[in-house]
Amino acid sequence: MEFTLEREKLLIPLLLVNSVIEKRQTLPILANVLLRLKNKKLIFTGTDLEVEVTTSIQAVSGKEGDITVTGRKMLDICKAVNEQTEIKVFSDGSKLNIRAGRSRFTLQAMPAEEYPTLETMDWEERITVNQAELKTLLDKTSFSMANQDVRYYLNGLLLELGDGILRAVATDGHRLAKSEIKVKTGKESEIRQVIIPRKAIMEISRFLNEEKEKVVLEFNQNHFCARSGEWVFTSKLIDGRFPDYAAVLRPKLSLEIDLQREEILETLARTAILTNEKFRGVRLSLSENRLTITANNPEQEEASDELEISYSGDEVEIGFNVNYLMEALRSLKGEQILLKMQDANSSCMLLDPNQPNTQYLVMPMRL
């Protein structure tokens, strides 16, 4: 195999495929990227056996062939080369040679035949969505995913497809985030649920841009795939049953308070300075036309702040993790938000009245 490319053209695909390669591998070849030149198309592939990324460059002249080489080293070499430098890459038996100006590099290589790939079978469902809409959907919910929870099905994000809706739901057992967008589906009556692993969700967000480009999403029993332009992102699914989020989102919350989003966010940020660093608890106290937010810590320090609100019901006092409240508020973009509560033992719900399809539920905590 042999080809010559400008540094910038080679750097972008190497960055994309290296993003899924783990620093510690169970197999030595998993530290490598697969390079394949065929029909003037240079294809890059990286995998950790759970997630696989393939991207390509068109109109590349050279000698056809394939080989695998350590992804991180090849990426570091390209980063270190001066901008707009032409890089020549050619294989020589079990070695890959890189020439850039006066610089010479020789890397150990492994045969392409030994490189593992995800066997995905046939795709059972396919939809096309706007990249910007999908990115927004994931950004509004992914922060609520669990991380290394023993309940493995929480270490990912639920995508639910059906009736012209693509819905994303994430929960770590302490909070829940739900958002949805309208899509065109071929099977309007069937509901399909898949749980995409946390790593896949975090990585695919890097591929999605803010433009109006389209991305094709494909599903089957064991895999999820997203493809757009020159890249293809494939991931295994989590085999488990996601909690009944619809039941969780149906609590009786009769107290409704209208708040200025920026004002409550700034108030929580000030109060959070003196929270317990481990538990991050704040107390929300409702009284007539007033919301009081207090926090204290083991050093006997205390913070308190007040907001004027429109409220005339019973006095209520509830504790919450301030980080959970602030992350939900940052994800809501409207000026006004609606805070719904019930009593000291109930969860609270945050939503934008103008965009009710995005909801955040936060469980209370004892203080």
Side-chain angles (χ1 to χ4, degrees), residues 15 55 88 94 118 125 141 157 188 212 259 289 295 313 317 330 349:
L15 283 167
T55 185
K88 182 179 180 180
S94 62
L118 292 182
E125 189 118 27
T141 52
L157 181 136
E188 298 294 333
K212 294 183 179 180
L259 295 168
N289 296 328
E317 195 171 88
R330 290 191 186 105
M349 182 179 288

Side-chain angles (χ1 to χ4, degrees), residues 181-365:
I181 57 174
K182 292 182 179 180
V183 295
K184 292 182 179 180
T185 57
K187 302 174 182 178
E188 298 294 333
S189 60
E190 294 186 14
I191 301 293
R192 175 185 289 274
Q193 289 190 341
V194 297
I195 306 175
I196 303 174
R198 179 186 177 88
K199 178 180 177 179
I201 293 296
M202 304 307 287
E203 292 299 334
I204 196 173
S205 294
R206 303 184 187 186
F207 288 74
L208 303 172
N209 58 44
E210 304 293 345
E211 304 299 326
K212 294 183 179 180
E213 296 178 24
K214 301 294 184 180
V215 57
V216 177
L217 305 182
E218 298 171 311
F219 309 88
N220 62 24
Q221 291 293 324
N222 301 308
H223 294 89
F224 157 81
C225 177
R227 62 178 79 238
S228 178
E230 299 299 332
W231 60 263
V232 180
F233 185 99
T234 310
S235 170
K236 287 184 177 180
L237 299 176
I238 294 176
D239 184 15
R241 185 175 179 83
F242 201 80
D244 184 1
Y245 71 87
V248 176
L249 287 171
R250 282 197 297 262
K252 181 182 178 183
L253 303 174
S254 59
L255 304 181
E256 297 188 357
I257 309 157
D258 290 311
L259 295 168
Q260 292 281 344
R261 188 179 68 88
E262 286 293 339
E263 185 181 26
I264 181 67
L265 188 55
E266 291 172 0
T267 305
L268 287 170
R270 287 194 297 269
T271 311
I273 296 171
L274 295 185
T275 56
N276 184 312
E277 291 184 5
K278 183 178 180 180
F279 300 109
R280 304 290 287 167
V282 294
R283 183 177 287 106
L284 272 60
S285 303
L286 273 176
S287 56
E288 186 171 355
N289 296 328
R290 182 178 299 163
L291 173 63
T292 304
I293 302 172
T294 57
N296 46 52
N297 57 33
E299 288 79 35
Q300 306 296 315
E301 298 169 328
E302 184 174 315
S304 178
D305 216 323
E306 293 183 354
L307 292 174
E308 289 187 6
I309 60 173
S310 177
Y311 178 74
S312 59
D314 296 334
E315 292 190 2
V316 179
E317 195 171 88
I318 317 179
F320 293 106
N321 183 308
V322 69
N323 288 348
Y324 296 166
L325 295 177
M326 290 173 66
E327 285 180 329
L329 287 166
R330 290 191 186 105
S331 296
L332 295 167
K333 302 304 180 185
E335 293 183 4
Q336 293 285 127
I337 63 109
L338 187 63
L339 173 66
K340 301 173 72 173
M341 298 190 298
Q342 183 63 32
D343 53 43
N345 299 313
S346 72
S347 53
C348 83
M349 182 179 288
L350 293 161
L351 69 151
D352 182 343
N354 298 318
Q355 295 181 334
N357 290 334
T358 299
Q359 300 175 342
Y360 299 100
L361 196 73
V362 181
M363 299 298 290
M365 64 183 295

